[in-house]
Amino acid sequence: MPNNQFMHPRNIYRTPPAFKELSIKYPEFNKYASTGLNGKIVFDFKNQEGLRLLTTILLKKDFGLDVDLPVGRLIPTIPLRLNYLLWIEDLFNLNYDNTKKIKGIDIGSSCIYPLLAAKQFQWSMVGTDINKEAIKNAIKNVEKNNLQNLIQVLEVSEWERLLPVAVDEHYDFCMCNPPFHSYSNLNSSDDEANNSIGITSEMYTIGGEVDFVKKMIKESEILQNSISIYTTMVGYKASLDPLKNELKAIGACSVAEAGFYQGRNARWGIAWTFQSDIKLKDFLPNKEFQKEKLKLRPPVSFKIPETYDSITALTKLSELLVSLKLSTAILKSKSDENVLYQADIQAYENTWTHQRRKRRMEKRLADSKRQKTNDNCLHVESDEEKVDQHLETTVNAKRLFSATLFFNSLRIDLYNAIWYNIPLIKGKNE
Ligand SMILES: C[S@@+](CC[C@H](N)C(=O)[O-])C[C@H]1O[C@@H](n2cnc3c(N)ncnc32)[C@H](O)[C@@H]1O
């Protein structure tokens, strides 16, 4: 699973679940799994029924929680829930010793956060929701797990976030996984909204998550120290800036942010406090990784046509780098006879986004020309396309990169960006 190295260091799902073990222990799991040619169990993550089953199995196996996840409702991905909870735990570790009894509020609760928080950390939680069905399911799951002593479930009105719960009582924290999307996106082309599974009130709210959290911020301004640490998750990174501006405007003492990465999915967190004695800390594993990325990113290899000698391969690759406007500084080491070519590559602008589409268009054009001229170099283009695809996926977040390219008649290593395998065929120029 990509992105797992960005999970919270204490997240048990940094090591993906052992599907083989699950398939033996839970025979019903096999309905959604198959054995690949390499003997590995492949799970169908796109199947909602399968995903629901996997989530219930993991909750049982890893947390001793017996949870009913109703059909048609949001299926809570546990690695994400843990990433968020573990960041909150980090914030407590910064401020309190581990004997402190923690009391928190979860706004918008199918009860997954309170269940995990109570079971894993023994925090006592109040879970609120506006949806009667969600409340009913939450209560059922709390009772099923005998956690009534730690979890209370409350129905609240759509217009409120924290006030009804925290007005007369102090809480150590609050958390929230708000409906991300705005009703104006209902039936729109927003992929994120369209791909989410759940009922409308789980996913949509007036003004989207920014307005939802702004209301929470407004209430926090009234409540001040009634809650020591306010936190929320957001589904869009772009929501962080308007929320941080809002927090600045109301004079929050300190603000921190977090990145929750799991599988191919990312979410963000924001925390604030009005207490000057409370310390907050960012959790931005991706940013840390950006600093370290040149050391960490594993190379990816691509085969190039067997008919290429190393000079041809190098020429093709150089053409590609030039077309991507990458600056290439040749660093050929004279001392090492095996090194034919060594270069330092820098990107100053994002020229690779949509390269695949551009290539496809160019290929189509070239194909139609080729039909006329009966040219036979189709193979070469498709390999270049592969390199493009890789560059596109590797550096897709408009991330500029620097890479070192070595060429020694065996392979070209674009360290941290690409690993280009060159077969050992000596050309007549070598
Ligand atoms: C994205 S779901 C999150 C559910 C659960 N916390 C999770 O992480 O799986 C958002 C939830 O917020 C609830 N909700 C919407 N407006 C609310 C409000 N004003 N107060 C409390 N809950 C609300 C919805 O009914 C829904 O259950």
Side-chain angles (χ1 to χ4, degrees):
M1 233 193 262
N3 274 346
N4 280 8
Q5 76 269 38
F6 303 146
M7 277 198 199
H8 192 282
R10 296 193 300 282
N11 195 321
I12 52 169
Y13 299 112
R14 277 174 82 99
T15 309
F19 288 155
K20 193 137 207 158
E21 191 189 310
L22 296 185
S23 77
I24 295 166
K25 209 163 162 194
Y26 305 93
E28 65 275 32
F29 175 83
N30 293 316
K31 206 170 145 194
Y32 309 100
S34 54
T35 307
L37 288 174
N38 55 4
K40 280 193 176 164
I41 304 281
V42 183
F43 179 74
D44 180 6
F45 281 96
K46 288 198 182 117
N47 185 306
Q48 294 300 308
E49 280 311 308
L51 209 53
R52 180 173 300 103
L53 177 72
L54 176 65
T55 307
T56 5
I57 288 176
L58 294 180
L59 285 168
K60 181 89 196 148
K61 179 177 91 61
D62 298 328
F63 303 95
L65 283 166
D66 193 357
V67 177
D68 272 340
L69 298 172
V71 176
R73 301 257 164 176
L74 204 70
I75 302 168
T77 46
I78 308 306
L80 165 64
R81 281 12 183 226
L82 268 190
N83 272 340
Y84 184 9
L85 283 167
L86 288 165
W87 178 49
I88 296 173
E89 192 191 31
D90 284 345
L91 300 181
F92 292 140
N93 290 343
L94 264 183
N95 291 287
Y96 309 123
D97 69 40
N98 58 10
T99 58
K100 178 165 172 43
K101 286 211 174 315
I102 301 286
K103 227 170 79 179
I105 304 171
D106 175 33
I107 307 173
S109 193
S110 65
C111 245
I112 190 64
Y113 283 115
L115 289 168
L116 285 168
K119 197 76 183 185
Q120 186 75 354
F121 309 112
Q122 290 75 52
W123 299 343
S124 52
M125 299 289 298
V126 175
T128 71
D129 211 293
I130 54 166
N131 183 281
K132 288 201 184 317
E133 204 57 31
I135 293 279
K136 218 167 84 189
N137 292 329
I139 293 176
K140 215 165 79 190
N141 281 325
V142 172
E143 287 172 355
K144 215 170 171 189
N145 290 281
N146 281 322
L147 287 168
Q148 299 93 312
N149 57 330
L150 286 177
I151 304 173
Q152 192 192 350
V153 183
L154 283 183
E155 188 177 338
V156 291
S157 101
E158 189 175 348
W159 313 110
E160 286 163 320
R161 305 289 180 265
L162 294 158
L163 280 175
V165 188
V167 75
D168 291 324
E169 208 169 335
H170 175 264
Y171 287 86
D172 299 297
F173 80 106
C174 67
M175 65 188 310
C176 178
N177 174 9
F180 296 149
H181 314 295
S182 166
Y183 278 115
S184 57
N185 286 356
L186 205 60
N187 305 321
S188 78
S189 57
D190 183 335
D191 281 349
E192 176 87 23
N194 290 336
N195 292 335
S196 308
I197 306 286
I199 59 164
T200 312
S201 65
E202 286 178 313
M203 300 186 304
Y204 294 88
T205 182
I206 299 163
E209 62 184 7
V210 170
D211 280 11
F212 191 98
V213 178
K214 275 187 181 171
K215 175 87 177 104
M216 194 175 156
I217 292 174
K218 283 256 166 310
E219 291 191 10
S220 76
E221 192 184 2
I222 300 167
L223 289 167
Q224 295 278 318
N225 298 352
S226 295
I227 297 179
S228 295
I229 303 176
Y230 296 85
T231 79
T232 187
M233 186 167 97
V234 286
Y236 294 100
K237 194 167 189 225
S239 301
L240 291 176
D241 279 347
L243 296 177
K244 281 195 280 187
N245 290 340
E246 196 76 7
L247 289 167
K248 212 169 169 187
I250 63 159
C253 243
S254 64
V255 175
E257 66 184 82
F260 308 128
Y261 301 93
Q262 45 282 313
R264 292 177 200 286
N265 162 290
R267 297 283 181 247
W268 293 269
I270 186 158
W272 67 99
T273 183
F274 296 95
Q275 281 181 234
S276 53
D277 58 329
I278 290 277
K279 290 184 248 131
L280 298 179
K281 194 174 125 199
D282 290 338
F283 173 65
L284 298 166
N286 195 24
K287 212 168 189 174
E288 286 304 306
F289 178 78
Q290 295 291 323
K291 288 187 210 147
E292 292 287 308
K293 70 178 188 290
L294 292 178
K295 283 182 231 153
L296 290 178
R297 184 174 285 282
V300 180
S301 37
F302 292 91
K303 278 235 176 283
I304 64 157
E306 298 263 318
T307 50
Y308 280 16
D309 60 28
S310 40
I311 294 289
T312 316
L314 180 58
T315 310
K316 291 282 169 199
L317 186 66
S318 304
E319 280 168 16
L320 176 70
L321 297 176
V322 168
S323 77
L324 289 173
K325 295 188 192 156
L326 299 172
S327 110
T328 312
I330 311 286
L331 306 169
K332 182 175 171 347
S333 153
K334 289 206 171 81
S335 57
D336 186 348
E337 284 197 341
N338 288 323
V339 176
L340 181 69
Y341 181 91
Q342 188 181 341
D344 194 41
I345 296 169
Q346 303 266 352
Y348 295 103
E349 58 175 301
N350 181 354
T351 53
W352 45 83
T353 303
H354 303 313
Q355 275 292 315
R356 185 156 36 150
R357 198 189 303 161
K358 217 174 102 197
R359 283 274 163 196
R360 242 188 264 127
M361 298 259 297
E362 279 173 7
K363 186 174 174 293
R364 246 177 253 142
L365 256 171
D367 281 352
S368 66
K369 272 192 200 153
R370 222 173 270 127
Q371 267 190 344
K372 289 180 198 147
T373 57
N374 206 15
D375 189 64
N376 65 353
C377 52
L378 192 76
H379 197 48
V380 172
E381 288 238 343
S382 76
D383 272 296
E384 284 177 358
E385 192 175 43
K386 272 191 201 163
V387 177
D388 262 2
Q389 282 174 20
H390 179 66
L391 282 172
E392 195 177 339
T393 49
T394 309
V395 283
N396 61 359
K398 291 197 181 141
R399 172 155 54 80
L400 303 187
F401 72 89
S402 160
T404 306
L405 179 144
F406 296 92
F407 182 87
N408 60 8
S409 83
L410 265 180
R411 69 182 195 200
I412 292 173
D413 288 354
L414 246 170
Y415 280 113
N416 311 303
I418 177 175
W419 180 7
Y420 210 94
N421 261 344
I422 311 282
L424 184 56
I425 299 175
K426 291 263 181 187
K428 44 181 181 300
N429 300 333
E430 290 170 67

